[in-house]
Amino acid sequence: MTGLDERRLLRFPDGFVWGAATAAYQIEGAVAEDGRGQSIWDTFAHTDGRVARGDTGDVAADHYHRVGTDIALMRQLGLDAYRFSVAWPRVQPTGSGPANVAGLDFYVRLVDQLIGQGITPVLTLYHWDLPQELQDAGGWANRDTADRFAEYAALVAERIGDRVNLWSTLNEPWCSAYLGYGSGEHAPGLQDPATALTAAHHLMLAHGRATQSLRASLPTGTNVSIVLNLAAVYPASDTPEAHDAARRADAVANRLFLDPMLRDGYPADLIEDTKAITDWSFVHPGDEAIIGAPIDLLGLNYYMPAIVDVRRPAAPGEERNPLSGAWPGCADLDGVAVEGPVTGMGWPIDARGLADLLHRLRRDYPPIPIMITENGAAFPDKVDGGEVRDPARLGYLREHIAAVHGAVADGVDVRGYFVWSLLDNFEWAYGYEQRFGIIHVDYPTQQRTLKDSAHWYREVIRANAVDAPSGQPQSG
Ligand code: FCB
């Protein structure tokens, strides 16, 4: 059953945008074509032991050669919009200098074909594929990378600025900085908390500088945004210590990114909490004003909540793990696992985190339109008789879309929802083992098969409504 239950429809406002998202390195393949340079993810994936089973993005979903097929699938789903990322090393193979016309033209054709099919292109400039030459000069630990990024942004804007109305500078700077330089799970694979915080600042500076350069190149009225994976952080108990642990984790995961952009600079408690690691001298006078350049919309990616506490022995039946290097300054805190359903990644399924984040953004920050730019789940899907039954993903999407509906009904300004992901793809350090697509990809044949969740999502888009999870009160 992939239709909607008509008795339980929760309708969205007219004009609500329904989309699907992907990222360049995860789907494109064609890593040596049309002058593309090498990125940190090529290097990382080709380094032994970094990615499960030695998988790489060399071929991925071969989207570079199958754009026409993939756009036809988007049309079949009835997508209003498609969120993709531009590979920096296709545009500037070494991270600086003039545009590589053949590489940039791939995105010109993509955008033109999308528009031709009535699908709105939503463009992200950086989804983690830094040109390797810039890494050789220090990557995001080097302040100059922020200037290089602003130059790259201008090259893309000058070429396709007239056709794309919604731009995001960065996807999830949290991951680039903390997984790349803190825990080492992502490229470039470094493990140093001070460098992770330095990288986070340079990424935010890059966002601010790129926002300035986009404004200078894009037609008036074009929307500029950033995409953040905010963490829904909860204390493990009602003790003052657990609340303080949650405050600290929130500062490093959320307020470090939100406050300089939407309020007034880096939070004082964050600087105090991390003073044993860094003196923050990488922040120069005037940087926070650049980061605070006005944006038009905030992209929010949400997958799961995080429950934290100070380090203490686990209670019977409780599972605790030290917070990893992905939480700089929080080495004395634990993440606490709670009972409940999880995805194939082992990520807890709890849509309340999404609802709480949306309400919190409205409560704590100046008004800004929000787009859910990623949300979804991986499960070990199989094609059986030409079909893919994925009730767990469908249930995950239903619950989370219903949570978005609840926030919209409460007056939170959410403009749209993008499922992660259109296609199964290269899931970073997990390689092809984890399937997030609503469309199944059989990698040896590159055959695409719509999963049940894709058929259901098409009905959601058509109705501009989701059928409420059972147990949830019906509303209009
Ligand atoms: C997000 C990334 C995206 C994908 C999903 C599962 O953090 O932006 O590329 O890997 O997680």
Side-chain angles (χ1 to χ4, degrees):
M1 242 308 269
T2 51
L4 300 182
D5 182 342
E6 299 285 334
R7 294 160 306 173
R8 315 189 66 85
L9 288 190
L10 305 171
R11 292 190 191 284
F12 281 79
D14 288 347
F16 192 84
V17 175
W18 296 102
T22 63
Y25 188 68
Q26 294 182 276
I27 62 165
E28 286 179 358
V31 289
E33 263 167 77
D34 295 330
R36 178 186 180 278
Q38 192 175 327
S39 85
I40 55 173
W41 267 96
D42 296 301
T43 310
F44 193 73
H46 280 275
T47 306
D48 278 353
R50 294 302 206 176
V51 174
R53 302 182 308 201
D55 290 346
T56 74
D58 288 1
V59 178
D62 196 33
H63 171 74
Y64 198 78
H65 301 120
R66 292 167 197 266
V67 175
T69 309
D70 292 339
I71 293 178
L73 290 166
M74 295 177 209
R75 194 171 158 102
Q76 200 181 328
L77 292 173
L79 296 186
D80 298 319
Y82 171 55
R83 172 175 177 248
F84 64 95
S85 81
V86 174
W88 188 347
R90 288 199 194 282
V91 177
Q92 288 178 302
T94 59
S96 58
N100 165 40
V101 175
L104 192 45
D105 275 358
F106 170 73
Y107 300 103
V108 176
R109 290 194 301 275
L110 170 65
V111 163
D112 284 349
Q113 288 180 60
L114 288 168
I115 294 170
Q117 295 297 321
I119 300 165
T120 303
V122 174
L123 185 154
T124 300
L125 284 164
Y126 185 72
H127 203 125
W128 310 350
D129 39 7
L130 189 75
Q132 183 60 42
E133 272 73 0
L134 296 185
Q135 189 61 49
D136 297 342
W140 292 112
N142 178 353
R143 188 178 168 90
D144 290 346
T145 303
D147 293 325
R148 298 291 81 72
F149 182 65
E151 290 162 10
Y152 154 65
L155 290 178
V156 184
E158 279 154 19
R159 185 72 177 90
I160 32 184
D162 58 338
R163 300 153 162 105
V164 178
N165 186 253
L166 176 52
W167 294 64
S168 303
T169 53
L170 306 175
N171 178 71
E172 302 188 352
W174 183 95
C175 293
S176 302
Y178 298 168
L179 301 180
Y181 296 79
S183 71
E185 291 158 83
H186 280 187
L190 305 179
Q191 294 182 311
D192 179 63
T195 314
L197 291 171
T198 310
H201 175 61
H202 292 155
L203 280 151
M204 292 312 288
L205 187 62
H207 157 76
R209 287 209 191 285
T211 300
Q212 292 172 330
S213 79
L214 288 173
R215 297 281 185 217
S217 315
L218 294 172
T220 319
T222 310
N223 293 295
V224 176
S225 67
I226 187 170
V227 171
L228 300 179
N229 56 324
L230 298 177
V233 181
Y234 299 95
S237 70
D238 219 8
T239 61
E241 294 81 11
H243 278 277
D244 197 55
R247 176 193 62 75
R248 285 170 52 199
D250 175 61
V252 78
N254 298 327
R255 289 185 281 120
L256 179 144
F257 300 100
L258 289 168
D259 285 21
M261 224 169 39
L262 301 176
R263 276 162 56 153
D264 45 8
Y266 288 112
D269 63 329
L270 168 72
I271 293 171
E272 178 64 25
D273 289 343
T274 53
K275 68 175 183 222
I277 300 174
T278 175
D279 61 6
W280 288 76
S281 55
F282 47 75
V283 182
H284 296 188
D287 284 1
E288 285 151 300
I290 295 170
I291 298 169
I295 52 172
D296 304 298
L297 182 135
L298 179 65
L300 173 61
N301 293 355
Y302 175 81
Y303 291 92
M304 62 181 157
I307 295 158
V308 300
D309 200 353
V310 282
R311 174 102 2 100
R312 50 168 125 239
E318 190 187 57
E319 188 198 324
R320 284 176 171 254
N321 290 299
L323 285 187
S324 74
W327 304 78
C330 300
D332 56 327
L333 304 184
D334 279 344
V336 181
V338 287
E339 292 268 307
V342 294
T343 69
M345 301 280 280
W347 294 354
I349 301 176
D350 188 351
R352 278 174 308 174
L354 177 54
D356 288 348
L357 280 173
L358 289 171
H359 284 102
R360 188 256 182 113
L361 283 170
R362 187 173 61 159
R363 193 185 63 228
D364 292 354
Y365 291 92
I368 182 155
I370 298 167
M371 192 79 98
I372 308 301
T373 33
E374 283 180 31
N375 175 241
F379 290 101
D381 310 302
K382 296 253 177 323
V383 184
D384 183 5
E387 300 194 333
V388 182
R389 303 260 174 247
D390 60 341
R393 177 177 298 100
L394 197 158
Y396 178 101
L397 297 176
R398 177 188 275 134
E399 263 178 51
H400 286 75
I401 295 173
V404 175
H405 182 273
V408 172
D410 290 340
V412 183
D413 186 4
V414 187
R415 303 286 174 92
Y417 175 94
F418 289 70
V419 68
W420 183 271
S421 180
L422 179 72
L423 303 168
D424 288 339
N425 60 50
F426 175 80
E427 178 45 37
W428 308 112
Y430 297 87
Y432 298 101
E433 217 164 73
Q434 296 291 342
R435 295 180 173 274
F436 271 93
I438 57 171
I439 298 177
H440 183 275
V441 177
D442 177 59
Y443 295 108
T445 61
Q446 291 295 341
Q447 168 89 33
R448 276 88 163 121
T449 307
L450 268 61
K451 303 181 189 176
D452 278 0
S453 57
H455 293 292
W456 171 85
Y457 192 51
R458 184 180 49 211
E459 296 308 312
V460 169
I461 298 171
R462 191 177 292 162
N464 193 31
V466 68
D467 43 356
S470 49
Q472 185 164 314
Q474 197 176 329
S475 66

